[in-house]
Amino acid sequence: MMDFGKKDFSEEELVRLLECEDPEELAAMFAAARQLRQERQGNKIFAYGFVYFTTYCRNNCNFCYYRRSNDIERYRKNEEDVLAVAKALIDSGVNLIDLTMGEDPQYHAEQFETVCRIIRTIKETYQTPVMISPGVVDDAVIDKFAEAGADFYALYQETHNRALFERLRIGQSYDERMHAKLYARDRGMYIEEGLLAGVGEGPADIVRSLKTMGEIGAKQVRVMSFIPQEGSPMEKVKSPDRLEELKIIALMRLLYPDALIPASLDVDGIKGLEDRINAGANLITSIIPPKSGFMGVAHNTMDVDEGGRTVEEAAAILERMGLRIATKDEYRAFLAAR
Ligand code: SF4
């Protein structure tokens, strides 16, 4: 049985834990991950509102529903609608607004002026931290996001195996993506790095991703299980067993005790929350107001209009687990202390 109290894990140990099937050892790993979270933040769990404001994209990622070649209905919300949904999320108790977009050519053409205005309003008028997830943009645009006050820049490599990256993110540059992330970090934004489970990676690839997350100084680290998307080239690829995602969450917590690690409602909806929190996640993402006309990414409508992806619903589950949603001040204090 591994000593989960130690601070460092060799690559061989991480591979072994990713391959582990012993229920007792896995239970000990999840318990150690929860214990670390408890030591850092007690019974508080953070919550992020998700605002996916344009589903147009110039790219053709093989795993994505919103890829350019997929013939689907798309939307591009206006500034007023984006601010209205952000305000509703803030009023419902989220700690941060995650502004997410496809790589929409229209926003690139207007140099993200609208997005910067939205960031400023959320920061200055609504006094709430902002994460921007715009895909790859030029350094000059990242400068503008930093000046507008964005706190986080989220950009997921999905894998740190270059050959696999090329098969997933067709025609895109691994290095440009990594550069944008590191440039944002150097401009003073926190960065979020992420990986996708179940897309052809092996344990050694996952370990490489886990190590890279630390090396680049990611403050928030994410894993999501692949969900097959209708009309995409990976439509017939099976979604992986969720144990892989849960193990990765636990290992991220053991390696990076202070990290923000999401339990995303986008993979399995609200019913997937408890397992991910029990694996060591400290943050709920993809909270979307019902009937707002805004979508998720991997499961674009699951639980949304039924009201399953709300702070209220998540809080009720947390309460049964002896946990609660943090206040905005508690979230700010957590960020400031790190
Ligand atoms: S993953 Fe993002 S960049 Fe890739 S096609 Fe989908 S929306 Fe576009």
Side-chain angles (χ1 to χ4, degrees), residues 52 57 59-61 63-64 66-67 102-103 169 172:
Y52 192 17
C57 188
N59 288 332
N60 238 345
C61 300
F63 54 88
C64 181
Y66 301 101
R67 65 197 305 271
E103 293 193 14
R169 292 198 176 274
Q172 296 166 55

Side-chain angles (χ1 to χ4, degrees), residues 80 137 171 186 188 203 214 218 248:
E80 202 183 1
V137 294
D186 294 344
I248 296 170

Side-chain angles (χ1 to χ4, degrees), residues 140-212:
V141 175
I142 294 174
D143 289 341
K144 287 188 186 183
F145 291 151
E147 282 152 23
D151 300 270
F152 280 85
Y153 185 83
L155 189 65
Y156 315 130
Q157 217 72 8
E158 311 296 6
T159 176
H160 298 82
N161 171 332
R162 285 171 181 265
L164 182 56
F165 178 97
E166 279 168 23
R167 293 203 295 278
L168 295 173
R169 292 198 176 274
I170 306 298
Q172 296 166 55
S173 160
Y174 182 100
D175 292 318
E176 274 176 24
R177 199 169 184 86
M178 188 54 87
H179 167 82
K181 198 160 17 204
L182 300 183
Y183 185 75
R185 178 198 64 188
D186 294 344
R187 280 303 321 259
M189 279 184 261
Y190 302 133
I191 53 170
E192 181 182 20
E193 176 61 296
L195 73 115
L196 201 51
V199 287
E201 74 287 355
D205 297 320
I206 297 169
V207 170
R208 190 182 313 172
S209 289
L210 291 171
K211 293 282 181 190
T212 306

Side-chain angles (χ1 to χ4, degrees), residues 24-264:
E24 225 175 280
E25 186 160 33
L26 289 176
M29 178 169 78
F30 293 133
R34 286 195 296 276
Q35 175 67 26
L36 277 177
R37 183 189 65 218
Q38 177 75 26
E39 283 165 13
R40 298 301 197 276
Q41 64 191 75
N43 67 347
K44 297 185 288 294
I45 299 290
F46 306 117
Y48 288 3
F50 186 66
V51 183
Y52 192 17
F53 61 94
T54 171
T55 58
Y56 286 87
C57 188
R58 62 184 180 181
N59 288 332
N60 238 345
C61 300
N62 262 345
F63 54 88
C64 181
Y65 182 65
Y66 301 101
R67 65 197 305 271
R68 186 185 69 228
S69 304
N70 219 7
D71 185 16
I72 54 170
E73 233 178 86
R74 298 177 191 266
Y75 63 74
R76 182 183 293 117
K77 301 290 184 182
N78 64 32
E79 189 172 342
E80 202 183 1
D81 287 344
V82 174
L83 287 172
V85 81
K87 180 74 168 56
L89 283 162
I90 293 163
D91 289 346
S92 79
V94 301
N95 305 129
L96 170 147
I97 294 295
D98 174 7
L99 292 173
T100 293
M101 59 185 292
E103 293 193 14
D104 184 340
Q106 188 163 309
Y107 282 100
H108 280 261
E110 60 128 61
Q111 287 293 297
F112 294 85
E113 292 298 334
T114 310
V115 180
C116 288
R117 272 202 311 275
I118 292 170
I119 294 172
R120 277 203 185 87
T121 303
I122 297 173
K123 288 285 296 186
E124 290 165 16
T125 309
Y126 304 161
Q127 303 275 308
T128 300
V130 172
M131 170 180 277
I132 178 79
S133 312
V136 175
V137 294
D138 297 341
D139 291 357
V141 175
I142 294 174
D143 289 341
K144 287 188 186 183
F145 291 151
E147 282 152 23
D151 300 270
F152 280 85
Y153 185 83
L155 189 65
Y156 315 130
Q157 217 72 8
E158 311 296 6
T159 176
H160 298 82
N161 171 332
R162 285 171 181 265
L164 182 56
F165 178 97
E166 279 168 23
R167 293 203 295 278
L168 295 173
R169 292 198 176 274
I170 306 298
Q172 296 166 55
S173 160
Y174 182 100
D175 292 318
E176 274 176 24
R177 199 169 184 86
M178 188 54 87
H179 167 82
K181 198 160 17 204
L182 300 183
Y183 185 75
R185 178 198 64 188
D186 294 344
R187 280 303 321 259
M189 279 184 261
Y190 302 133
I191 53 170
E192 181 182 20
E193 176 61 296
L195 73 115
L196 201 51
V199 287
E201 74 287 355
D205 297 320
I206 297 169
V207 170
R208 190 182 313 172
S209 289
L210 291 171
K211 293 282 181 190
T212 306
M213 288 166 166
E215 285 157 15
I216 64 175
K219 183 106 164 169
Q220 185 165 313
V221 289
R222 175 220 83 163
V223 55
M224 276 172 69
S225 296
F226 165 73
I227 304 286
Q229 302 297 335
E230 203 181 334
S232 73
M234 292 173 70
E235 180 178 24
K236 298 265 181 317
V237 176
K238 266 183 66 188
S239 191
D241 187 298
R242 294 297 179 268
L243 187 56
E244 179 179 351
E245 182 182 329
L246 299 178
K247 283 178 183 175
I248 296 170
I249 289 175
L251 291 179
M252 292 192 302
R253 173 63 60 218
L254 294 175
L255 289 170
Y256 310 117
D258 288 324
L260 289 156
I261 303 176
S264 175

